[in-house]
Amino acid sequence: MSALEPYALRADGQDAPQGIVAAPVFSWRLRSGRRGARQTAYRIVVAARLPGGGSARAWDSGRVESSETTGIRYGGAPLASSRDYDWTLTVEDEAGGVVERTAVFATGIVHSDEWAAAWIGRNPVFRHVALPPQDTDISFTVNKLQPVRRFVRHFDIDAVPAVAKVHASAQGVYRLYVNGRRVGTDELAPGWTEYRDRITYQSWDVTEHLRPGRNSIAALLGDGWYVGFIGTDRRHQAQHYGKEPALLVQLTMDAADGGRSVLGTDESWRETASDILYADLLMGQYEDSRRAQPDWHLPETDLTDWSSAVVVGTDVDRLTAEVDPGVRATLTLPAVSVEAVGEGRHIVDFGQNLVGRVRLTVRGQAAGTRIQINHAEVLDHGELYTANLRTAEPLDVFWTDGESSQVFEPRFTLHGFRFAEIDGLAGSLDAGDVEAVVLHNDVEFLGDFSSSDAPLDRLFQNICWGLRGNFVSIPTDCPQRDERLGWLADAQVFAPTALAIADVAPLLRRWMRDVRSAQNDDGAFPDIAPHLIHLREGAPAWGDGGVTIPWHIHRATGDLSVLQEAADSMVAWVRHVERHNPSLIWRAQVGNDYGDWLQIGEETRKDVLSTAYFAHSADLTARTLRLVGREADADGIEELRDRIAATFASAFVAPDGTVAGDTQGGYLLALSFGLYRDIAERDRIAEKLVESVLRRDVSLTTGFVTVGLLCPVLAEIGRDDLAFRLLHNDRYPSWLFSVRNGATTIWERWDGWTPEHGFQSARMNSFNHYSLGSVGQWFLSGILGITQQSGSAGYRDLRLAPRFDPFLTHAQGSLETPRGRVESSWRRDGDEIAWTVTVPPGTPAIADLPCRTASEITEGGENTTHSQGVTLMDHGQGSIRLRLESGTFNFRLPAG
Ligand code: RAM
């Protein structure tokens, strides 16, 4: 028995991953009910499960005396493809207690020559399928779209194999079935990557799906990102990567005697058009259920009328195993209201702006009834407002087959919406027959916050919903209009918040490969990734995402390999900017130079912003090089960083502390990135920032790039009071202005809608853009005080510094760090604060509390000097520092 409990056992950061292809990295988290509990040693044993039963040991780490719980790399025998492995972790605690846990991982295709499948597509002889019934109207914008195809292969086996694994991918999007049963729960697989360089494949165990005799393996194949509409520019909207979708599937069957047989996609597969007339991510889905043929994927079905599939490619070099959780349906939301608005027309409100689709049950409709579902984020005078979706067509259409009841749920599209208009039903719509299905990458949620203030909690929830809606395969700017692109600035400003709320590290890391793929020969990072050829690159704070995002991932996870793989590209970026700007003021080669995008009331000078970012990227690059052991390179970039900072200060900082342009954004950049000559100058700049906030009656003027700096910087300079006033302000412009006006997600613009002017220009007005929600991280690090020391990564040096927001009577929440769960909860009780905090095992924390003397603080009702696991470190100006061992502590201190 041990006082420790290991949990969240992960291989390569994933829970039971199915497609490991190289030595995985193991990690786990710890919890304990005992104060001071810590891990003193661990051992990992990995064993391959043999198809005939039993297992073969592949690695034994031996007993390792260490408190490490992350970053432990497999060091055993080479892994075999398509196989299950058990890994057993033994952990010892400081009292000699021992605990054991087992988790699993499975392998994908380890060597590319083991692929025995080809890319198959539809047969061109049947290109022009007879169009379905005359009442099937398809709008003109979608003339590049085509029916979703069905692919089927029947095969015979004498006995069910001991183990069967399937590996599948598409140039397009697919859904897989074995004997009519759906395989896996992923939606829109394989997701979007820079397809010119890599396409992800998914792996699943299908042993249970097989049976002796005749079997079938089948897939639906849609256009997805590969062939369908993406992005904004009409000329490039569709067929960006190819004109036809293609499918690749490999089924590996292992018999108990060790024999392996493999079946892959080839010309023996049969194919035909499906009942989905077209499906597109931006243009919706049209489905004629009269053509449904419910048994199409079963082994008994006669396929003689179908065509032979055509091999369209054999290249497997771009295939890469999936490294992060796929897009899945994670939640369903009921309708909160259904209103009949006209003949056969109903408007449904789901109470939440979300990303996904409607699931509708229809009853008693005549065959061929056309049901249309339209989607919108907001209403305008009681009707759907869709003008802001631009050329995206949020229409799903469905023709009924005449059955007494039918469920309609589109499979290859998604929309951003809160409201749906359902048109064409005979009779009324029952609220119980309609629900919204929420889709996003199925990441673990790590951070949580709630408080005594409902609007503030709603703001936090809106930020979480922004994350849900915009982590759909890649981090997107918005999920609803004809855009949905991986804009780097949006992602980089939101990354610290995203990483605190959810485990998006594997996704962001995978997406960074697309960012680096698009880095040009001169070293410029793209503004968006995957890169669309007609968009430019290298804008300040956009391109810089190539540097800052790996840095944020490392800081949240402690994973050094993220920096190792990014280091060269960071250096290339910084040198690119330097080469074009020998004066070190970044004015040349600025690409589209968006500035502090969508700021309000002030305009931060573009050269101030760009040069500040130049210094910041050089700083993070130098630190990265040091961490990965490239000292000489680090010295060179650090020296450059110091010269940029000095140039910034002499060019832009006046003797009285005014930063050129006199905007909040300018002050925030200078303070946050350390662009001042000395502490006295820092204080003058800080004073100017305070003036600029007060001058506007405590309103913000920041845009995408600097808004996330407001609260942390104000708190850092000792003006928590202003940070909290900004946070709780609900006058326009402010975070709570949108909340007060009914927002359930973060708006793209401060003025997306105002009582005076109504909607902003429909040309650019999304109601689900996460960028202005980059304050979210501070709810955890500021209000709850769950943070880490400046040189720390992965919360190794935990710092607990709650800030007792005067507008709140209590606040509570938690963060699952890589080492275990930290909880922080505080409550006002008379003139005292009661603060309860939980520190995970083996991660001693430093608590910074706003008190004058230690005698003002008690823990568990006693003076802290008597409290087990608490050590007084020192007192600074008005603050006390305590060291806390692991465990739960109940402090009381003066409310101040
Ligand atoms: C808009 C995008 C994105 C922003 C760029 C500059 O079109 O929505 O949020 O980064 O422009």
Side-chain angles (χ1 to χ4, degrees):
M1 274 297 286
S2 166
L4 292 179
E5 192 193 339
Y7 67 104
L9 274 66
R10 303 275 191 260
D12 283 350
Q14 298 185 78
D15 183 14
Q18 295 296 300
I20 298 291
V21 291
V25 170
F26 299 111
S27 63
W28 57 94
R29 301 179 209 146
L30 293 172
R31 61 180 154 232
S32 175
R34 187 171 76 202
R35 257 191 212 183
R38 63 195 167 86
Q39 170 187 305
T40 51
Y42 71 81
R43 179 181 175 192
I44 295 172
V45 175
V46 180
R49 282 191 216 162
L50 300 175
S55 62
R57 181 168 292 194
W59 185 50
D60 184 347
S61 70
R63 181 174 177 279
V64 182
E65 283 186 18
S66 166
S67 59
E68 223 38 272
T69 63
T70 59
I72 292 138
R73 189 174 288 280
Y74 172 84
L79 299 172
S81 293
S82 311
R83 183 136 294 173
D84 291 310
Y85 288 80
D86 293 302
W87 65 282
T88 302
L89 166 72
T90 310
V91 163
E92 284 175 43
D93 67 29
E94 80 292 356
V98 173
V99 58
E100 193 179 288
R101 291 280 181 281
T102 297
V104 295
F105 66 86
T107 48
I109 303 283
V110 173
H111 303 287
S112 62
D113 61 5
E114 294 171 286
W115 282 107
W119 293 100
I120 57 171
R122 70 171 172 177
N123 196 318
V125 175
F126 292 89
R127 243 189 117 81
H128 300 290
V129 270
L131 249 196
Q134 326 72 327
D135 54 358
T136 309
D137 58 349
I138 295 185
S139 73
F140 78 99
T141 41
V142 295
N143 61 9
K144 284 181 173 168
L145 298 174
Q146 54 199 329
V148 168
R149 309 300 290 188
R150 295 173 178 148
F151 290 81
V152 177
R153 167 76 148 83
H154 293 161
F155 60 100
D156 297 305
I157 49 177
D158 297 334
V160 171
V163 181
K165 299 275 183 186
V166 71
H167 310 283
S169 186
Q171 296 171 6
V173 284
Y174 74 95
R175 246 184 210 228
L176 201 63
Y177 304 83
V178 170
N179 291 329
R181 254 174 78 189
R182 187 162 168 210
V183 176
T185 51
D186 283 13
E187 301 286 341
L188 307 174
W192 192 9
T193 47
E194 177 45 83
Y195 294 129
R196 297 175 193 91
D197 290 343
R198 69 192 72 79
I199 305 180
T200 306
Y201 66 89
Q202 286 69 38
S203 302
W204 291 286
D205 193 300
V206 291
T207 317
E208 302 268 286
H209 293 55
L210 296 176
R211 61 194 194 196
R214 173 141 295 203
N215 288 263
S216 77
I217 183 162
L220 287 175
L221 178 66
D223 288 351
W225 294 275
Y226 204 98
V227 182
F229 283 69
I230 50 176
T232 50
D233 185 333
R234 272 184 167 276
R235 285 165 301 146
H236 298 275
Q237 265 180 339
Q239 303 180 341
H240 196 75
Y241 300 95
K243 289 194 185 320
E244 290 282 336
L247 175 74
L248 183 141
V249 181
Q250 177 158 324
L251 174 67
T252 301
M253 292 174 284
D254 286 342
D257 66 5
R260 171 168 281 193
S261 55
V262 176
L263 180 154
T265 33
D266 59 19
E267 274 160 0
S268 68
W269 287 56
R270 309 287 286 168
E271 70 90 17
T272 191
S274 77
D275 52 329
I276 302 176
L277 309 181
Y278 75 76
D280 184 75
L281 297 167
L282 294 180
M283 298 300 179
Q285 176 171 313
Y286 276 45
E287 177 173 339
D288 186 344
S289 67
R290 290 165 294 183
R291 299 159 52 96
Q293 205 188 341
D295 62 353
W296 69 272
H297 42 24
L298 296 181
E300 300 79 33
T301 303
D302 180 3
L303 306 177
T304 40
D305 285 348
W306 295 34
S307 313
S308 295
V310 170
V311 169
V312 295
T314 52
D315 154 40
V316 291
D317 293 343
R318 288 176 297 157
L319 287 169
T320 54
E322 187 164 71
V323 294
D324 59 301
V327 174
R328 292 180 196 131
T330 59
L331 291 168
T332 51
L333 300 187
V336 297
S337 75
V338 173
E339 202 189 334
V341 289
E343 183 62 31
R345 218 158 60 87
H346 296 83
I347 291 185
V348 183
D349 179 4
F350 295 102
Q352 172 63 52
N353 194 18
L354 61 95
V355 175
R357 58 203 182 205
V358 168
R359 183 185 293 148
L360 174 71
T361 305
V362 300
R363 301 173 199 278
Q365 306 292 316
T369 305
R370 182 187 188 278
I371 314 267
Q372 172 176 304
I373 307 178
N374 199 0
H375 304 75
E377 297 180 287
V378 288
L379 295 182
D380 186 15
H381 298 96
E383 294 290 335
L384 300 201
Y385 180 75
T386 56
N388 66 330
L389 308 182
R390 304 193 303 218
T391 65
E393 291 191 9
L395 285 185
D396 295 335
V397 177
F398 168 63
W399 285 265
T400 57
D401 65 4
E403 289 291 316
S404 58
S405 107
Q406 261 190 286
V407 178
F408 174 58
E409 180 182 347
R411 281 161 280 187
F412 293 115
T413 190
L414 75 174
H415 308 284
F417 65 102
R418 169 178 166 170
F419 300 94
E421 180 184 294
I422 299 174
D423 200 351
L425 274 182
S428 66
L429 173 63
D430 191 303
D433 282 342
V434 60
E435 56 191 351
V437 179
V438 178
L439 298 183
H440 58 86
N441 284 89
D442 194 6
V443 291
E444 179 190 358
F445 276 68
L446 303 175
D448 187 35
F449 173 90
S450 64
S451 74
S452 52
D453 189 64
L456 197 66
D457 291 1
R458 183 69 242 189
L459 175 61
F460 187 76
Q461 289 308 319
N462 290 2
I463 294 168
C464 294
W465 277 100
L467 187 152
R468 287 193 184 91
N470 285 298
F471 276 79
V472 177
S473 190
I474 60 161
T476 57
D477 59 333
C478 60
Q480 72 298 75
R481 69 183 178 216
D482 57 352
E483 187 147 10
R484 313 185 194 183
L485 295 172
W487 285 96
L488 266 69
D490 305 44
Q492 70 119 345
V493 301
F494 192 62
T497 295
L499 288 158
I501 292 176
D503 186 14
V504 295
L507 185 155
L508 284 178
R509 183 178 179 179
R510 187 246 306 149
W511 177 67
M512 284 311 299
R513 293 187 196 144
D514 296 346
V515 171
R516 289 195 291 273
S517 287
Q519 187 170 28
N520 71 18
D521 293 342
D522 197 51
F525 282 120
D527 294 348
I528 63 155
H531 196 44
L532 299 191
I533 41 177
H534 57 285
L535 288 170
R536 295 182 63 188
E537 58 275 305
W542 270 250
D544 291 287
V547 174
T548 60
I549 295 168
W551 180 262
H552 292 314
I553 300 172
H554 166 70
R555 194 153 149 77
T557 62
D559 183 352
L560 204 57
S561 61
V562 176
L563 295 182
Q564 276 154 347
E565 63 192 24
D568 285 338
S569 70
M570 294 176 168
V571 173
W573 165 250
V574 169
R575 294 295 185 201
H576 154 86
V577 179
E578 181 196 18
R579 205 162 40 248
H580 293 279
N581 297 278
S583 74
L584 305 185
I585 300 292
W586 184 5
R587 290 197 182 107
Q589 208 71 22
V590 287
N592 278 340
D593 205 0
Y594 307 99
D596 194 2
W597 188 243
L598 299 181
Q599 67 180 121
I600 196 109
E602 290 184 336
E603 199 177 332
T604 295
R605 272 175 58 163
K606 287 185 171 170
D607 51 3
V608 167
L609 186 146
S610 57
T611 306
Y613 255 93
F614 183 22
H616 185 48
S617 280
D619 181 26
L620 299 185
T621 301
R623 291 206 242 170
T624 293
L625 292 168
R626 238 176 256 301
L627 285 171
V628 303
R630 291 167 55 175
E631 292 292 339
D633 294 343
D635 289 346
I637 300 275
E638 190 176 292
E639 183 269 336
L640 171 63
R641 184 265 161 202
D642 290 346
R643 282 192 292 123
I644 306 167
T647 306
F648 181 97
S650 61
F652 298 131
V653 184
D656 69 348
T658 302
V659 172
D662 188 23
T663 64
Q664 290 175 14
Y667 296 119
L668 292 167
L669 290 163
L671 292 168
S672 184
F673 299 164
L675 307 177
Y676 38 77
R677 277 165 282 226
D678 51 32
I679 294 303
E681 184 163 89
R682 186 201 92 132
D683 291 347
R684 289 192 294 273
I685 299 173
E687 205 36 57
K688 287 286 172 189
L689 169 64
V690 168
E691 274 173 31
S692 74
V693 172
L694 291 175
R695 185 165 69 220
R696 296 183 171 266
D697 198 15
V698 195
S699 284
L700 50 74
T701 63
T702 45
F704 278 28
V705 179
T706 64
V707 63
L709 307 178
L710 262 172
C711 289
V713 168
L714 283 167
E716 187 62 36
I717 63 169
R719 296 308 301 260
D720 298 34
D721 59 324
L722 291 180
F724 289 125
R725 283 174 67 189
L726 281 171
L727 193 59
H728 289 273
N729 177 8
D730 68 0
R731 283 174 287 117
Y732 168 78
S734 67
W735 286 289
L736 290 186
F737 172 76
S738 66
V739 170
R740 178 155 62 82
N741 285 291
T744 59
T745 37
I746 301 295
W747 295 352
E748 177 177 24
R749 321 176 68 124
W750 298 114
D751 58 354
W753 183 88
T754 59
E756 297 76 26
H757 301 113
F759 293 115
Q760 245 288 359
S761 161
R763 277 186 304 163
M764 210 181 75
N765 195 20
S766 139
F767 292 96
N768 195 356
H769 244 70
Y770 51 47
S771 302
L772 298 179
S774 54
V775 65
Q777 202 263 141
W778 198 69
F779 284 62
L780 292 157
S781 67
I783 303 176
L784 302 178
I786 304 173
T787 180
Q788 56 184 328
Q789 305 294 348
S790 60
S792 160
Y795 296 88
R796 179 175 295 275
D797 301 312
L798 196 56
R799 178 167 180 248
L800 299 164
R803 296 176 187 271
F804 306 120
D805 179 341
F807 297 90
L808 302 179
T809 56
H810 60 87
Q812 55 276 320
S814 57
L815 177 66
E816 286 283 348
T817 75
R819 313 171 69 80
R821 185 179 174 88
V822 181
E823 296 177 356
S824 170
S825 139
W826 59 261
R827 173 175 295 279
R828 293 181 189 280
D829 185 5
D831 51 9
E832 286 191 326
I833 301 272
W835 178 49
T836 300
V837 63
T838 299
V839 176
T843 312
I846 299 294
D848 276 310
L849 295 172
C851 293
R852 275 177 303 277
T853 63
S855 59
E856 292 179 325
I857 310 177
T858 62
E859 193 283 313
E862 308 227 36
N863 188 296
T864 50
T865 47
H866 300 127
S867 174
Q868 189 212 336
V870 182
T871 317
L872 176 63
M873 304 294 287
D874 55 52
H875 4 165
Q877 301 156 322
S879 82
I880 296 285
R881 299 204 321 141
L882 303 171
R883 181 188 152 102
L884 309 182
E885 305 303 324
S886 64
T888 297
F889 301 85
N890 296 296
F891 290 99
R892 291 185 80 86
L893 56 150

